[in-house]
């Protein structure tokens, strides 16, 4: 707003004492001060309000006004409540530095002027920002020249003092302002996502007001503008994939203009979301082709050739073929004819992203196909390392659930289930069929558990699935190999006879004396061999469950 507009508002009680030629100056803010040197708090363009408490005698006016002029303030407004008329020495100093000077009537509170200026300036900034958002949206529609949603989130912070972040339905931070410091914690993001999904399932219109701790947030849904969203009639088809805009403010008392502006921001973010989905087309096609080859029993050489095509797309710059894991997901609703495959596909593409990574790009390394009500993810691993406890690194079922159980449970709202199964890592095409079956059976183990969101990993198959008669041969081989191959390899290298020792130990019901006598060994030697078996397999032969697993593995080998 301009200084001239302040004189046209009678309620402000302003009287011009000097600077009539400078009334076209732009006011960008307002500040109240009685400091002798307020320069550290000035950025230029302010209307400075003062009660003149800094003035002890006439000599103080000149340095005070000089500081304001050097800081680039728009004008000075002096209150008449303390000294009556504004001192003549202040009028002269302002005229010397060409600084417009107003007198504020004693009946007008500085708060009234401050509120008026802030309201006017914010409204004008919102109009300017709306134009920026609209231009940015048009640029992003035709290409990435707009710079992504981070740019507009920065503008919201700088021009409207609004901190805002884009979150996924599981609470992952997708985008945020780069100049506003760290965003909400992962725990807060998960709570915001859960509140958003709950509101979406109940059909409430956004924005949704949420209080987490001592902070108030307003949640704006980000709805995809793609064809699939336009033809969707049931919120359950998109509720587990739509993003949200979380604004650190209470939008309940906002003017329509500001609400419209934020709706424009969500439309811009939706453009980015649609572009990301379009970029996933190639990865989805690769996953679909590999899945069909594996399920139809194609030759390993043919599957390996397809994996060689997929590896550079999913892991650009990687020289050697990676290891792979398979993750299977199913989304089921209690009522309604909703195809669960596409919903599970979008969900896997989200939850398999590293929760500590920001932005949509980390998901470029995940390929997910769907068939029927099931989604299958092919997850490349650049390398597979063995942890200190003997377990392999990679995707872990428990870790998948840790950060998504709360928001997803809210999104399912009592009438849906998400079940996940995770395979062990394989390093060749020959192992993919077994990995797929392993992941599917792990998902069935998860489905047998109570709860709306459940997962199971390949480690749990040894104690559950092999007792079922319909387990395929691939899974049986994977189970026995996981338990016995480390022992066979050790026996081959060291002639240690760990396998015969294990068979005898189990046959003797774990009796150290009887087993040592049968093998013609000293008991300490037997204890050393059993300790080596436990170390190589990360099992404990004093536990009944582990004894049973070894017994089954030996019988099926």
């Amino acid at each position: 707003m301009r200084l001239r507009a302040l004189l046209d508002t009678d309620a402000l009680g302003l009287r011009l004492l000097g600077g009539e030629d400078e009334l076209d100056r732009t006011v960008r803010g307002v500040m109240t001060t009685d400091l002798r040197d307020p320069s550290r708090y000035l950025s230029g363009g302010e209307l400075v309000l003062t009660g003149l408490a800094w003035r002890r005698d006439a000599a103080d006016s000149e340095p005070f006004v000089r500081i304001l002029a050097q800081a680039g303030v728009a004008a000075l407004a002096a209150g008449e409540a303390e000294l009556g008329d504004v001192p003549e020495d202040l009028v002269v100093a302002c005229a010397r530095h060409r600084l417009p000077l107003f007198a504020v009537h004693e009946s007008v509170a500085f708060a009234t002027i401050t509120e008026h200026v802030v309201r006017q300036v914010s409204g004008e900034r919102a109009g300017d920002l709306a134009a920026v958002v609209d231009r940015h949206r048009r640029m992003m529609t035709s290409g990435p020249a707009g710079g992504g949603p981070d740019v507009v989130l920065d503008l919201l912070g700088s021009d409207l003092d609004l901190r805002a972040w884009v979150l996924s339905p599981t609470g992952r931070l997708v985008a945020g302002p780069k100049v506003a410091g760290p965003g909400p914690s992962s725990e807060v993001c998960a709570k915001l996502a859960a509140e958003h999904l709950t509101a979406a399932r109940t059909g409430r219109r956004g924005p949704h007001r949420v209080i987490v701790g001592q902070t108030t947030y307003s949640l704006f849904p980000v709805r995809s503008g793609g064809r699939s969203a336009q033809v969707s009639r049931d919120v359950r088809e998109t509720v587990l994939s739509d993003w949200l805009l979380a604004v650190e403010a209470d939008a309940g008392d906002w003017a329509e203009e500001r609400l419209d502006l934020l709706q424009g921001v969500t439309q811009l973010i939706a453009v980015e979301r649609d572009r990301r989905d379009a970029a996933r087309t190639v990865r989805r096609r690769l996953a679909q082709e590999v899945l069909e080859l594996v399920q139809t029993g194609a030759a390993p050489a043919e599957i390996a050739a397809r994996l060689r095509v997929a590896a550079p797309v999913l892991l650009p710059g990687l020289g050697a073929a990676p290891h792979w894991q398979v993750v299977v997901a199913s989304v089921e609703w209690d009522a309604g004819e909703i195809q669960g495959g596409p919903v599970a596909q979008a969900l896997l593409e989200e939850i398999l992203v590293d929760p500590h990574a920001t932005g949509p790009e980390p998901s470029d390394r995940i390929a997910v196909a769907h068939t029927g009500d099931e989604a299958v993810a092919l997850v490349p691993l650049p390398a597979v390392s063995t942890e200190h406890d003997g377990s392999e690194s990679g995707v872990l079922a428990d870790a998948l659930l840790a950060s998504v159980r709360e928001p997803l449970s809210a999104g399912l709202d009592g009438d849906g289930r998400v079940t996940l199964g995770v395979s062990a890592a394989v390093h060749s095409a020959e192992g993919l069929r077994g990995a797929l079956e392993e992941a599917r059976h792990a998902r069935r183990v998860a489905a047998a558990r109570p709860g709306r969101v459940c997962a199971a990993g390949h480690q749990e198959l040894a104690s559950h699935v092999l007792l079922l008669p319909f387990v395929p041969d691939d899974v049986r081989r994977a189970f026995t190999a996981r338990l016995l191959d480390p022992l066979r390899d050790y026996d081959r290298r060291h002639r240690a006879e760990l396998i015969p020792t294990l068979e005898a130990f189990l046959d003797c019901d774990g009796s150290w004396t009887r087993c040592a006598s049968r093998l013609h060994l000293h008991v300490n030697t037997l204890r050393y061999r059993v300790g080596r078996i436990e170390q190589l397999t990360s099992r404990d032969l004093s536990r009944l469950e582990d004894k049973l697993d070894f017994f089954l593995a030996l019988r099926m080998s």
Side-chain angles (χ1 to χ4, degrees):
M1 66 177 301
R2 299 190 183 279
L3 288 174
R4 193 179 304 278
L6 295 174
L7 289 175
D8 296 335
T9 306
D10 295 337
L12 300 183
L14 296 179
R15 180 164 49 91
L16 183 65
L17 300 181
E20 185 174 359
D21 295 338
E22 305 293 334
L23 292 181
D24 287 328
R25 289 187 181 185
T26 299
V27 179
R28 297 188 179 88
V30 62
M31 176 192 175
T32 300
T33 184
D34 276 312
L35 295 174
R36 297 172 68 87
D37 181 3
S39 58
R40 73 183 68 179
Y41 305 108
L42 298 172
S43 58
E46 296 92 350
L47 170 66
V48 175
L49 306 175
T50 181
L52 300 177
W54 50 266
R55 182 182 179 277
R56 297 189 181 96
D57 54 46
D60 291 334
S61 294
E62 168 63 25
F64 180 79
V65 172
R66 182 173 65 251
I67 290 171
L68 298 187
Q70 291 174 346
V73 303
L76 174 65
E80 297 178 325
E82 292 294 329
L83 301 180
D85 293 338
V86 176
E88 183 64 23
D89 50 271
L90 182 59
V91 176
V92 172
C94 287
R96 181 179 300 117
H97 291 280
R98 301 181 62 83
L99 181 67
L101 176 63
F102 297 97
V104 182
H105 194 272
E106 62 181 359
S107 63
V108 179
F110 282 177
T112 301
I113 301 174
T114 299
E115 182 180 353
H116 176 81
V117 173
V118 169
R119 186 167 58 249
Q120 294 298 317
V121 171
S122 296
E124 292 179 7
R125 284 183 177 176
D128 293 341
L129 185 55
V132 173
V133 170
D134 184 64
R135 182 173 68 253
H136 202 71
R137 182 168 60 250
R138 290 197 302 271
M139 294 172 70
M140 289 187 67
T141 302
S142 59
D150 292 345
V151 175
V152 174
L153 297 182
D154 279 335
L155 288 173
L156 287 177
S158 62
D159 281 31
L160 295 185
D161 197 25
L162 290 177
R163 283 166 32 103
W165 302 269
V166 180
L167 304 180
S168 76
T170 61
R172 180 174 65 87
L173 185 63
V174 176
K178 298 185 180 303
V179 296
S185 67
S186 57
E187 291 78 12
V188 171
C189 288
K191 290 183 180 298
L192 294 177
E195 293 287 347
H196 162 72
L197 291 177
T198 299
R201 288 302 311 277
T202 57
R204 287 189 283 133
R205 295 185 59 187
H208 314 299
R209 182 176 179 272
V210 177
I211 299 177
V212 180
Q214 302 297 319
T215 306
T216 301
Y217 297 88
S218 296
L219 309 180
F220 293 79
V222 177
R223 308 204 194 290
S224 172
R227 172 176 171 78
S228 60
Q230 296 173 8
V231 301
S232 175
R233 297 180 179 179
D234 195 315
V235 67
R236 291 176 293 182
E237 296 181 23
T238 58
V239 69
L240 298 183
S241 58
D242 283 342
W243 289 349
L244 67 139
L245 178 67
V247 182
E248 191 178 275
D250 187 349
D253 56 355
W254 283 4
E256 287 295 326
E257 293 79 4
R258 180 168 286 205
L259 289 172
D260 289 343
L261 171 62
L262 267 295
Q263 293 297 341
V265 173
T266 64
Q267 293 172 18
L268 183 148
I269 297 167
V271 172
E272 175 63 34
R273 172 64 191 274
D274 292 340
R275 177 179 294 112
R276 186 205 62 167
D277 286 344
R280 284 179 169 172
T281 302
V282 174
R283 299 190 298 279
R284 288 176 173 178
R285 186 182 301 119
L286 285 171
Q288 198 74 41
E289 291 174 355
V290 172
L291 176 62
E292 291 174 0
L293 289 173
V294 171
Q295 292 189 135
T296 57
E302 187 176 358
I303 300 175
R306 182 53 55 190
L307 288 178
R308 283 194 294 272
V309 173
V313 176
L314 301 178
L315 289 175
L318 189 68
H323 292 73
W324 302 89
Q325 270 184 289
V326 176
V327 181
V328 173
S330 176
V331 177
E332 301 172 296
W333 303 99
D334 294 344
E337 297 181 359
I338 301 173
Q339 189 177 6
V343 179
Q345 181 182 45
L347 184 61
L348 272 186
E349 288 172 336
E350 167 56 38
I351 65 176
L352 289 175
V353 177
D354 181 355
H356 301 292
T358 59
E361 282 68 30
S363 62
D364 289 352
R365 296 187 174 187
I366 300 163
V368 187
H370 72 82
T371 171
D373 289 331
E374 174 188 78
V376 179
L378 190 64
V379 182
L381 304 174
V384 177
S385 61
T386 301
E387 308 293 346
H388 296 298
D389 60 359
S391 61
E392 289 182 344
S393 62
V395 178
L396 301 177
D398 291 342
L400 281 182
L401 289 186
S403 61
V404 302
R405 181 183 278 114
E406 179 183 358
L408 288 186
S409 297
L412 297 168
D413 194 34
D415 70 342
R417 290 199 77 198
V418 172
T419 51
L420 304 165
V422 182
S423 79
V426 296
H427 65 277
S428 66
E430 289 85 349
L432 270 184
R433 179 173 175 79
L436 175 60
E437 293 301 329
E438 193 172 53
R440 282 175 168 164
H441 283 284
R443 192 203 64 77
R444 291 173 189 166
V445 170
R449 295 171 174 168
R452 290 290 172 181
V453 184
C454 298
H458 60 89
Q459 302 92 339
E460 301 177 68
L461 298 184
S463 300
H464 299 84
V465 177
L466 288 174
L467 299 179
L468 305 176
F470 57 83
V471 177
D473 292 339
D474 300 278
V475 178
R476 294 174 185 264
R477 285 193 294 268
F479 170 65
T480 57
R482 189 175 304 115
L483 280 179
L484 302 182
D485 277 359
L487 306 182
R488 290 172 178 145
D489 292 341
Y490 192 89
D491 282 348
R492 192 162 44 246
R493 293 195 307 269
H494 302 283
R495 299 181 181 180
E497 298 187 334
L498 295 185
I499 292 290
T501 301
L502 175 62
E503 292 175 325
F505 185 76
L506 294 175
D507 195 45
C508 292
D509 297 325
S511 169
W512 296 101
T513 304
R514 287 164 51 200
C515 183
S517 177
R518 175 181 295 190
L519 295 175
H520 305 289
L521 297 174
H522 191 279
V523 172
N524 288 343
T525 303
L526 176 61
R527 291 185 183 277
Y528 173 82
R529 289 187 182 181
V530 171
R532 179 64 67 183
I533 292 170
E534 292 176 336
Q535 182 183 19
L536 291 172
T537 61
S538 298
R539 296 299 186 110
D540 183 357
L541 279 167
S542 67
R543 298 179 69 248
L544 176 61
E545 294 88 346
D546 288 342
K547 288 179 182 177
L548 177 59
D549 291 341
F550 278 120
F551 173 80
L552 292 171
L554 289 168
R555 284 297 180 91
M556 292 187 298
S557 63

